[in-house]
Amino acid sequence: MAGDLLVEMGSRGAAALLAASRHEFDAALAQRGAQAPLGFPGTNYFLPIANALLKIEVRTLGECAQIFEETEKLCANKPARNSLFIDALNGVLNKGIAALLMEEVLAALSYQSGSHPQPGCAGFLSDTLLRSLGVQLVDGRIAGIAVLLGPAKDDTSAVTLVRDLQSRNIVSIIAGSAKGTSLSEQLARSRVAVSLENYIIPVGSDYLSAIYAVNWAIRAPLTFGGLKSGAWREILAYERKNVPALVVLLGHVDEVIVATGLGALAMGFPIVSDLDLPQVGKIDTTLYEAIVTEKDYTKLAARCVEVRGLKVKIVAVSVPVPYAPAFEGERVRKEQLHVEFGGKHGRAFEHLTLSEMKDIEDGTVTLVGPDIDALAGGQLSMPLAIEVEVAGRKMIKDFESILERQLHRFVNYAMGLMHVGQRDMVWIRISRDAFSRGFRLRHIGVALHAMLHQEYSAIVDKVQVSIYTRAEDVARLLPAARRSFEERDERLRGMTDESVDTFYSCTLCQSFAPDHVCMISPERLGLCGAYSWLDGRAAYEITPTGGNQPVAKGNLLREKEGCWSGINANVASLSHGKVAAISMYSLMTDPMTSCGCFECVVAILPEANGVIIVNREYTGMTPAGMDFITLASAVGGGTQTPGFLGIGRLYITSKKFIAAEGGLRRVVWMPKELKESISQRLHDRSVEIGDPDFASKIADETVAVDAAEVVCFLKKAGHPALGMEPLL
C-alpha cells in the first residue's frame, strides 16, 4: 500500500481542510446568512463534486451543512451518502474525496467573497468550456489534461515541460505557487503565450484553485456520459476510463496537497512529480502506476503519457518552429507582427484541386515572387495565393473541399502563425518570433505536404504546393479559384437525402458519450458542426474501421419524420440497445440523441407555438426561461428528449431542419450573433419558403427575452408559427 508517510500526511491534510472550511463557512454564515446564494458561474451542476458524488444540490450557504455531515463520515473512514466509500488502500482515498469536497466549498466561498478568480486566471471552468473542448478531446486534437501544481525548478524547465506537453496535444491547467513564484509567472518571464487557445490555462495562483480542474472533470460523465448525480461508482469509473487527466506535482508538497492528491487518485488520476515521493504502483482506482517520480524535465511529458496511457499523435513536420494542434488557436497581435496576408490589408486566397498523378511531383514547393525576408522598409503586408494540387488513386473531386478546409488547421499548427477564414477570405499573420526562428513561406508548403500525407494517406498519394506573392499573379489566379468554389457549392447544393441510399454514422463521441450515435445525411450535418456527409464518406475511405461507417437507409417507415428501418437497426446496435429508433427530421418524435458537443440547442417554446435556437456562445437568458447551459443540460449523454435537440448551426437552413414540425417557419427566436452568422443562408432559405422577409420576423435578445414579449413581437411581425398546427 502507499507509504505510511503519505497516509499520515493525507489524513492530517484532510482534517486541516475540514477545519478550515468549517471556519470559513461559519464566518460567511454569520456575515451573510443561510439564504445567501452560493455557487459558481457558468454551470448547471451547483457545486459539481458534491452534486455528482453525493447528489447534493447546493444553492445557498445553509445547504452546505449537508456536505460537512458527509465529509466528516469520509474523514472517519465511514460510508457517506449513497454508500459512497472507496475500499482501495484500506479506505484512505475516502479522505481524499473529503478533501476535494471541502476544497470545493472553500472555492465557492472564495467566489462569494470575491477573492476568486484571481487576476489573470480563469478560475472556475464553465459548462460551456467543457462542451466546446469536447470535440477536440473526441477527435484527438487534445490527447489529455495535465494539472500542473506548483512552479518548475527554473524558468527554462517550465518552458521545456509546457512546450513538450503542447507538442503532445496535452492541455496544461496551472495552479499553485511556491518559493515566491508560480509556473504562470515562469512562463510569462519566458514570453510564452498563456491562454486556452494555446492549451495553457492558469486557474489560480493558490493551490486551492486546483479544485477547478477537478470539478471541471467531474462534470464530464454528467454532461457526456448520460450518468445521473449520485451514481458515484459509475462516475468514478467513467473518470478513470474516459477522462484522460493526471496531476503533475512540482517543487513543493505539504499535507493539504497530499490530501488533494489522494482525491485525484480516487478519481483515477495518477500523479507524476519531480519530488522524492514514495512510489506507488497500480492501485484499484488507476489504470497504471499511481505515483511516479521523474526529475528530468525533458522526460516529464513522456512520463505523463506513459503513466496515464494517453494516445498521442506526434506531428513531425520539418519547419523551424514548434508544430502541434496546441498552437491552432494562437493569435498574432499587431505588436508581434512581421507580415500579414489578406484580411483588411490585401488580397489572399487558398485553393486545393485534384490533379492527375502524372501532372504533379510529390513534395515540390514552389515560391513565385518575393519571400517575407524581402519586405521593403515598414512594409507589413503582401498579396498571397496558395495553390495546392493533390493526386491519388482513391481521391475524387468531392473531397477537394474537405481537404481544403484542413489547410486552416495545418497552417495554424505552426507556432507564430495565425490563419483565419478560408477560400478567398483568408487572413494569415506571421510573427516576428517565427520569422527570427527561420520560418519562410516555403515552410507553409512543407507543412501542408506533410500533414495532407499524414492525415489523408488513404486517398492522397501526391501533394504539390505553389505559393504566389506578386499582386499580378494573385489577380490572375483568383477568378479560376472562385469559379471552382462556385462549382463546388452548386454540386453540394444539389445533394439531397433522397439522392443517396446511404447515410454515415458517427461514433467518435462515444469515448465520452458511450450510447450516443450521430447519423449524418447530405442535408443534416453532425451536431458538432464539424462533419458533413462528404466528411463521413471521406473518413470512411481513409479509415474503413473508424468512427464513420456507411449505413444503408433500408425501408422508409415514416416519410414525414425521416425514419428508416436500416437507420434504426444501426442506431439500436451502436447505442447498445439504449435507442430503438430515431427520426432524422423531427424534434418531437424520436429525435436524434446528442453527446454534448453540439453547436446549438433547439428547444420548444409552447407560448409561441414555435422553437428557439441558442448557440453555445450566447450567455444571456432565453424566452424559455433558461440560458444555454441550462438548456444544454436537457440534451446530451445519448438520451432522447422530445422538444429539445442538439444541432450544428448550418443545419438551421437545411430543408430537412425539423421538417416534420414545419421546418424553419417554426423558429421564433435566436440570438442576434447566431442570426447574423448565417444571415445569407437564412435569407436564401427564406426566399425558398416564399417569405423573403422571414428573418426579420425572428425575434432576438434585442427584442425580448421574455416569452410573452416575444409573442407580442411575433404577432406584430406576422410570424407564421402562430397560425401553424399546435406543437403540443
Side-chain angles (χ1 to χ4, degrees):
M1 65 176 280
D4 292 340
L5 178 61
L6 287 180
V7 174
E8 182 181 345
M9 289 181 68
S11 299
R12 289 202 300 262
L17 281 167
L18 180 57
S21 58
R22 270 204 172 279
H23 175 76
E24 294 295 325
F25 170 72
D26 290 341
L29 199 62
Q31 181 179 357
R32 299 183 178 88
Q35 296 307 310
L38 187 72
F40 297 111
T43 185
N44 200 47
Y45 296 106
F46 312 100
L47 302 193
I49 301 173
N51 181 34
L53 300 183
L54 298 174
K55 201 177 182 180
I56 294 176
E57 297 181 355
V58 171
R59 298 175 178 84
T60 65
L61 262 174
E63 290 172 335
C64 266
Q66 306 168 76
I67 301 177
F68 286 106
E69 293 174 10
E70 305 307 322
T71 301
E72 288 174 349
K73 296 175 187 175
L74 293 170
C75 282
N77 220 23
K78 297 177 181 179
R81 181 180 297 204
N82 301 319
S83 302
L84 171 58
F85 187 85
I86 301 171
D87 292 323
L89 297 181
N90 292 336
V92 71
L93 297 186
N94 294 299
K95 298 184 179 184
I97 293 293
L100 299 182
L101 288 164
M102 289 297 93
E103 287 173 324
E104 185 172 62
V105 170
L106 284 169
L109 292 171
S110 296
Y111 257 85
Q112 188 184 56
S113 68
S115 59
H116 276 196
Q118 294 159 331
C121 298
F124 183 81
L125 304 172
S126 70
D127 292 355
T128 300
L129 177 63
L130 174 64
R131 293 180 189 279
S132 65
L133 291 179
V135 176
Q136 297 182 58
L137 282 161
V138 163
D139 66 18
R141 278 178 287 168
I142 294 177
I145 311 287
V147 183
L148 309 184
L149 299 184
K153 64 180 181 180
D154 52 50
D155 292 3
T156 300
S157 298
V159 175
T160 296
L161 172 59
V162 170
R163 289 300 192 209
D164 280 355
L165 292 171
Q166 283 179 308
S167 70
R168 289 168 167 81
N169 308 332
I170 298 172
V171 173
S172 297
I173 298 180
I174 300 172
S177 59
K179 304 172 185 175
T181 192
S182 67
L183 189 65
S184 293
E185 292 169 332
Q186 291 176 320
L187 296 176
R189 287 195 291 266
S190 302
R191 299 183 180 277
V192 173
V194 173
S195 68
L196 169 62
E197 290 78 13
N198 292 311
Y199 289 13
I200 308 172
I201 310 173
V203 289
S205 57
D206 56 9
Y207 284 95
L208 174 62
S209 297
I211 199 64
Y212 297 130
V214 180
N215 62 20
W216 184 74
I218 202 72
R219 282 171 277 163
L222 306 178
T223 302
F224 299 105
L227 298 178
K228 303 300 181 184
S229 299
W232 64 269
R233 291 181 183 84
E234 294 81 1
I235 287 171
L236 293 180
Y238 183 101
E239 297 292 334
R240 180 174 66 254
K241 297 175 184 177
N242 299 92
V243 180
L246 75 154
V247 175
V248 181
L249 178 60
L250 302 172
H252 171 74
V253 69
D254 57 31
E255 293 173 346
V256 170
I257 292 174
V258 171
T260 305
L262 293 175
L265 293 178
M267 292 181 66
F269 305 153
I271 299 168
V272 179
S273 180
D274 64 351
L275 300 169
D276 288 315
L277 301 179
Q279 306 295 281
V280 180
K282 184 186 182 317
I283 61 178
D284 291 345
T285 60
T286 61
L287 293 178
Y288 307 105
E289 296 96 333
I291 302 177
V292 170
T293 291
E294 178 54 73
K295 295 187 176 184
D296 186 343
Y297 276 73
T298 65
K299 297 178 181 178
L300 252 175
R303 199 77 170 103
C304 291
V305 171
E306 177 186 346
V307 171
R308 189 61 178 100
L310 301 179
K311 304 301 181 184
V312 175
K313 298 177 182 178
I314 299 294
V315 179
V317 177
S318 184
V319 295
V321 296
Y323 190 88
F327 304 110
E328 184 180 355
E330 183 181 13
R331 291 292 178 262
V332 176
R333 308 297 179 187
K334 188 174 182 179
E335 61 271 16
Q336 303 166 317
L337 181 66
H338 176 76
V339 66
E340 63 184 331
F341 311 90
K344 297 182 293 184
H345 305 283
R347 179 175 289 174
F349 75 90
E350 60 193 16
H351 182 214
L352 183 144
T353 55
L354 172 62
S355 295
E356 296 292 334
M357 297 278 281
K358 61 182 177 58
D359 293 334
I360 65 175
E361 184 176 343
D362 185 50
T364 298
V365 178
T366 303
L367 174 62
V368 181
D371 207 334
I372 58 175
D373 53 4
L375 296 172
Q379 182 183 357
L380 292 175
S381 64
M382 299 174 70
L384 181 71
I386 302 174
E387 290 277 3
V388 182
E389 298 171 86
V390 300
R393 291 176 178 84
K394 293 186 177 181
M395 179 70 189
I396 61 175
K397 200 162 186 64
D398 280 347
F399 293 163
E400 284 181 342
S401 59
I402 296 169
L403 299 190
E404 189 177 88
R405 283 205 306 272
Q406 311 315 311
L407 305 188
H408 167 79
R409 289 194 295 123
F410 298 158
V411 173
N412 265 327
Y413 284 2
M415 190 182 77
L417 270 70
M418 182 185 84
H419 182 291
V420 177
Q422 60 179 323
R423 293 186 170 183
D424 56 349
M425 294 181 290
V426 298
W427 179 27
I428 299 174
R429 281 186 160 184
I430 300 176
S431 71
R432 286 197 297 269
D433 180 61
F435 175 78
S436 66
R437 289 170 179 256
F439 194 93
R440 299 296 181 265
L441 286 176
R442 67 172 299 274
H443 292 119
I444 291 178
V446 170
L448 297 181
H449 169 261
M451 292 304 296
L452 285 167
H453 271 297
Q454 178 166 306
E455 293 200 7
Y456 295 95
S457 59
I459 58 175
V460 171
D461 297 323
K462 288 185 175 183
V463 179
Q464 179 174 289
V465 182
S466 300
I467 300 173
Y468 302 84
T469 59
R470 289 198 291 251
E472 58 269 29
D473 290 328
V474 175
R476 173 176 56 83
L477 295 166
L478 183 56
R482 284 177 170 164
R483 285 194 298 273
S484 176
F485 301 150
E486 291 170 5
E487 289 169 2
R488 286 182 199 161
D489 290 342
E490 189 59 37
R491 189 164 62 249
L492 292 175
R493 272 194 291 266
M495 293 189 68
T496 65
D497 288 2
E498 292 78 13
S499 69
V500 300
D501 296 322
T502 299
F503 293 167
Y504 283 89
S505 63
C506 184
T507 56
L508 295 176
C509 289
Q510 285 198 347
S511 59
F512 264 19
D515 300 325
H516 166 63
V517 184
C518 237
M519 198 59 62
I520 304 171
S521 73
E523 295 182 84
R524 182 171 185 171
L525 80 167
L527 57 86
C528 65
Y531 284 83
S532 69
W533 185 85
L534 288 176
D535 293 320
R537 185 169 73 164
Y540 175 68
E541 291 286 344
I542 295 163
T543 311
T545 58
N548 298 109
Q549 294 291 311
V551 181
K553 289 158 60 176
N555 297 323
L556 180 61
L557 304 178
R558 298 194 305 272
E559 182 175 5
K560 183 180 179 181
E561 288 86 4
C563 186
W564 287 269
S565 62
I567 302 300
N568 287 347
N570 185 267
V571 168
S573 173
L574 293 177
S575 69
H576 315 106
K578 297 294 180 62
V579 180
I582 64 166
S583 298
M584 294 290 291
Y585 314 140
S586 180
L587 173 75
M588 304 301 295
T589 305
D590 298 331
M592 190 186 296
T593 64
S594 299
C595 59
C597 301
F598 38 79
E599 291 187 301
C600 305
V601 172
V602 181
I604 187 173
L605 189 66
E607 299 92 329
N609 197 35
V611 302
I612 66 171
I613 307 175
V614 192
N615 56 312
R616 184 190 295 143
E617 295 78 12
Y618 178 71
T619 58
M621 187 51 64
T622 74
M626 297 176 276
D627 58 11
F628 174 86
I629 290 172
T630 306
L631 285 167
S633 67
V635 186
T639 60
Q640 288 180 311
T641 312
F644 295 85
L645 193 66
I647 64 167
R649 65 171 61 197
L650 294 185
Y651 177 52
I652 298 168
T653 53
S654 166
K655 293 179 181 179
K656 296 299 192 294
F657 171 71
I658 60 169
E661 286 77 36
L664 185 64
R665 292 182 179 88
R666 287 287 187 182
V667 179
V668 298
W669 189 93
M670 68 171 72
K672 184 179 179 182
E673 184 276 331
L674 176 60
K675 190 190 296 188
E676 291 177 347
S677 74
I678 60 170
S679 59
Q680 187 58 53
R681 290 173 176 266
L682 189 57
H683 174 267
D684 293 346
R685 182 72 185 119
S686 298
V687 171
E688 287 179 347
I689 66 175
D691 192 350
D693 297 323
F694 178 73
S696 66
K697 300 175 183 177
I698 302 174
D700 59 37
E701 74 276 17
T702 67
V703 173
V705 293
D706 175 78
E709 292 177 2
V710 168
V711 172
C712 288
F713 171 83
L714 299 177
K715 289 178 179 177
K716 292 178 182 178
H719 196 290
L722 298 176
M724 296 174 73
E725 180 182 349
L727 275 173
L728 295 177

